[in-house]
Amino acid sequence: MPRKLLVSSFLLIGLTCAPALAADTLPRGRHKQVDALFSQWNSKTQPGCAVGISRDGVLDYARGYGMADLEHDAPVTPRSVFSIASISKQFTAFSIGMLAQEGKLSLDDDIRKYVPELPAYGKTITLAHLMHHTNGLREQGQLLNLAGWRGDDVSTEADVLWALSRQRGVNFEPGAEVLYGNAAYTLLAAVVKRVSGQSLRAFTDERIFKPLGMTDTRFREDHTELFSRRAWGYTSRDGGGWRLSDSHADHYGAGNLYSTIGDLLKWQQNLLDARVGGQALVAWVRTSGRLNDGTETGYGGGLRLAGYRGLDMVSHDGMDGGYRTEGLLFPAQRVAIVTLCNSGTIDAGELARKVADVYLGAHMKDEVPPAVKMAETEVSALAGDYWSPLTDEVVRLEFKDGALRQVGVPKAFVPMGDGAFRPGESTHVWRFSGPRELSVRDFWPTTRPFLRVTEPKPTALAAFAGQYRSEEVDMTYTVRVVDGKLAIRWPRRDEVLLDAIGGDHFVGSLGTVTFTRAASGGIDGLTISSRRLRRFRAERLERAALAAGN
């Protein structure tokens, strides 16, 4: 582990020594208030949540709401086992940290030292880049999607490595930006296996879970594996009712860890008292990574480090299939909160923060900037489509029900003055500069610039039709005109309709599709971009080449 990280890590150790919140300062009636927050899911006909709150390692409240298994009428209880999705990442990071402490690897090591099948991108991607999401790697799930994997197909570590090993570029230069993704942590799990000689499942079971008494926690290696007291993931079915929604991934590191609220509260306490790993390692995973220019990312070792309403907070959320999860830790108050939900319609993160409001509201302050009045004509004039020259994303804004909002997103934008808006009650900032420019800053420090799309929409759509080939995922895409719109399809995937935005930009459910042109002006390819994948390219196949291939 680099010395500079160890030194900075000790700066956080003092937080763990703060006095615990005294029992007599906890609000009266708090358990009833928590029950009220979850009351709409306390039903025998729908999935729900389990919530647990501890103070200084002592359980204060735990309860289940709704059903863990609708088919067999099994209710959610505090002992129900959930997929915790991306909360898994902190255990992967902790395992890497343990190996670093033992001198078996360094966070400054090139990932290709351990996974040599990855291509050389011209810039070194270190283990630290992977851990802090500053690596620039394209999102693994989207690459498999573009290679023809369906959502319910089984995917393995070998499949992910196959896709990553074929990539010819990254989203950005390592260390230049921060962008959350899953490929990095799948790679870190592979590093643990190749360095320690144990799978991440075996390593964490021996080194973390058994020592902490986390008897209901383990990484899933096989999607057919059964778990006692399992809460199944669900999503709502069109027309009413529910359907199962679970990942078929047979790889882990970024997710695929199963646990209970009780076990996760034990782990949260370890982030305070460091029974496993020691204070230096615990402090290190609670230390922010940095960009090349020194900017803190707000993300440590699988942990988000952004505060909440004036209090220091360590957290992570999770979203996978029908599971929605959140774990919050307030180190100074020594209060931990875990919410695990098995419905894709429940916002576990918002619920966890509302529970925090109940327990710690007296110690908090309101950090959401106040709304300012703005004429409707001024607000409505900002509606339109905006394209980012940095990421190639398109965001679409509409004026609906008296407010500006993203197309398809219910949260209204609240004006804060000086051209700035926030979506709902968040602290994200969307700032408009003049009639054409927009910048977006969410919980990551990298601000994304956008320009209003003013180019006319194309009318000769047939010019874009054809076949496009990507060797990066060994796939050929067909673009055609369907009922006055472009559509893109590829084997084993549903056809995606594309809406024209302007010029050569189109949008659909897979993100932004931008057609590129040769010096002659003819269309020579297309790129696909979304939040975690930039300018994935497919070259246009000439008709002569197609004929020769036949």
Side-chain angles (χ1 to χ4, degrees):
M1 188 178 302
R3 181 179 180 275
K4 62 182 179 181
L5 288 181
L6 278 176
V7 172
S8 60
S9 296
F10 283 111
L11 299 178
L12 286 179
I13 293 177
L15 290 176
T16 67
C17 301
L21 200 67
D24 57 6
T25 65
L26 292 174
R28 295 181 179 179
R30 58 191 180 274
H31 298 166
K32 289 184 177 180
Q33 292 182 64
V34 170
D35 288 342
L37 292 174
F38 291 85
S39 60
Q40 71 183 95
W41 294 286
N42 193 23
S43 163
K44 294 183 178 180
T45 61
Q46 61 181 357
C49 301
V51 62
I53 307 102
S54 66
R55 180 182 54 83
D56 202 24
V58 177
L59 184 66
D60 184 75
Y61 194 53
R63 186 175 172 186
Y65 310 85
M67 305 301 288
D69 186 340
L70 290 169
E71 192 173 14
H72 298 97
D73 296 324
V76 175
T77 75
R79 295 198 66 203
S80 294
V81 176
F82 293 76
S83 166
I84 64 172
S86 287
I87 294 178
S88 311
K89 289 181 171 67
Q90 56 202 274
F91 299 96
T92 306
F94 207 80
S95 300
I96 290 288
M98 284 180 154
L99 293 172
Q101 277 190 326
E102 296 164 7
K104 295 180 179 178
L105 56 78
S106 166
L107 273 296
D108 293 327
D109 287 341
D110 185 339
I111 179 58
R112 298 183 71 240
K113 177 178 179 180
Y114 307 103
V115 190
E117 54 265 48
L118 290 179
Y121 296 111
K123 297 285 185 178
T124 299
I125 297 176
T126 67
L127 301 187
H129 286 141
L130 297 174
M131 192 159 310
H132 298 131
H133 298 297
T134 58
N135 50 84
L137 293 174
R138 291 167 172 169
E139 176 59 38
Q140 61 188 26
Q142 289 169 301
L143 291 175
L144 293 178
N145 176 328
L146 291 168
W149 263 258
R150 294 171 177 158
D152 57 355
D153 283 339
V154 175
S155 60
T156 66
E157 180 186 280
D159 295 327
V160 174
L161 292 178
W162 169 85
L164 292 175
S165 67
R166 297 178 68 94
Q167 299 308 295
R168 297 172 179 170
V170 291
N171 290 329
F172 51 80
E173 179 182 332
E177 300 178 35
V178 55
L179 178 62
Y180 185 87
N182 291 302
Y185 274 77
T186 299
L187 290 174
L188 289 175
V191 171
V192 171
K193 179 169 59 178
R194 296 182 183 190
V195 171
S196 71
Q198 293 179 287
S199 68
L200 180 63
R201 170 165 166 160
F203 185 93
T204 51
D205 187 55
E206 176 186 323
R207 303 285 297 275
I208 299 175
F209 302 145
K210 284 184 178 178
L212 290 176
M214 298 171 65
T215 56
D216 288 318
T217 303
R218 65 181 183 271
F219 279 102
R220 187 182 70 174
E221 294 182 310
D222 178 351
H223 70 283
T224 65
E225 185 174 358
L226 298 178
F227 293 84
S228 177
R229 307 184 308 279
R230 178 174 179 169
W232 292 92
Y234 296 93
T235 55
S236 56
R237 183 186 295 276
D238 292 340
W242 300 92
R243 61 182 179 87
L244 285 172
S245 180
D246 191 15
S247 166
H248 287 100
D250 281 354
H251 55 84
Y252 48 83
N256 232 357
L257 183 66
Y258 282 71
S259 190
T260 64
I261 56 173
D263 275 9
L264 291 178
L265 289 173
K266 292 176 183 178
W267 168 250
Q268 297 278 48
Q269 187 63 23
N270 192 66
L271 293 177
L272 293 175
D273 61 28
R275 281 179 51 207
V276 169
Q279 284 288 3
L281 179 53
V282 166
W284 170 72
V285 295
R286 287 172 48 190
T287 301
S288 175
R290 292 181 182 271
L291 300 181
N292 294 338
D293 64 5
T295 302
E296 290 191 352
T297 64
Y299 196 92
L303 294 168
R304 299 187 191 275
L305 305 173
Y308 177 65
R309 294 188 58 189
L311 299 182
D312 288 323
M313 182 179 75
V314 177
S315 68
H316 213 290
D317 60 330
M319 178 186 300
D320 188 21
Y323 295 100
R324 300 293 184 268
T325 62
E326 182 72 73
L328 309 179
L329 174 66
F330 295 89
Q333 293 75 28
R334 301 178 76 83
V335 169
I337 299 165
V338 175
T339 55
L340 304 179
C341 305
N342 63 330
S343 164
T345 64
I346 300 177
D347 190 334
E350 181 179 9
L351 285 169
R353 283 160 178 78
K354 287 182 176 180
V355 172
D357 294 341
V358 169
Y359 272 74
L360 300 172
H363 305 271
M364 294 176 172
K365 60 184 180 181
D366 190 357
E367 291 187 318
V368 177
V372 300
K373 289 186 177 180
M374 191 171 174
E376 280 196 1
T377 54
E378 292 183 72
V379 178
S380 62
L382 299 173
D385 299 322
Y386 295 80
W387 168 77
S388 173
L390 176 68
T391 68
D392 200 39
E393 295 171 275
V394 168
V395 295
R396 312 189 72 185
L397 303 179
E398 62 181 349
F399 187 76
K400 182 179 178 182
D401 298 329
L404 189 69
R405 60 187 82 222
Q406 271 189 277
V407 174
V409 179
K411 287 184 178 179
F413 281 29
V414 179
M416 300 182 294
D418 195 27
F421 291 74
R422 55 176 165 82
E425 295 303 301
S426 76
T427 56
H428 302 177
V429 178
W430 293 55
R431 186 178 300 277
F432 296 86
S433 303
R436 293 197 63 234
E437 296 183 11
L438 165 67
S439 66
V440 178
R441 180 180 58 78
D442 46 28
F443 41 75
W444 299 110
T446 300
T447 299
R448 293 173 285 155
F450 289 82
L451 299 173
R452 184 191 287 267
V453 178
T454 57
E455 298 167 284
K457 296 180 181 179
T459 55
L461 295 180
F464 299 96
Q467 291 196 300
Y468 298 78
R469 175 72 182 173
S470 170
E471 296 299 332
E472 291 183 287
V473 291
D474 191 23
M475 181 57 65
T476 299
Y477 307 90
T478 299
V479 175
R480 65 186 187 126
V481 180
V482 179
D483 297 330
K485 285 189 174 184
L486 282 188
I488 184 170
R489 63 180 178 183
W490 60 105
R492 305 192 74 250
R493 299 294 308 188
D494 293 335
E495 191 165 57
V496 176
L497 290 176
L498 302 176
D499 291 326
I501 297 300
D504 294 326
H505 300 300
F506 295 77
V507 295
S509 59
L510 76 170
T512 301
V513 176
T514 299
F515 291 87
T516 61
R517 295 181 181 270
S520 63
I523 296 168
D524 63 359
L526 62 79
T527 63
I528 298 172
S529 299
S530 59
R531 186 70 181 94
R532 301 181 190 177
L533 179 143
R534 294 183 193 172
R535 296 181 173 89
F536 170 87
R537 182 166 180 79
E539 302 286 346
R540 189 173 197 172
L541 298 177
E542 296 294 337
R543 288 182 174 83
L546 289 173
N550 292 331

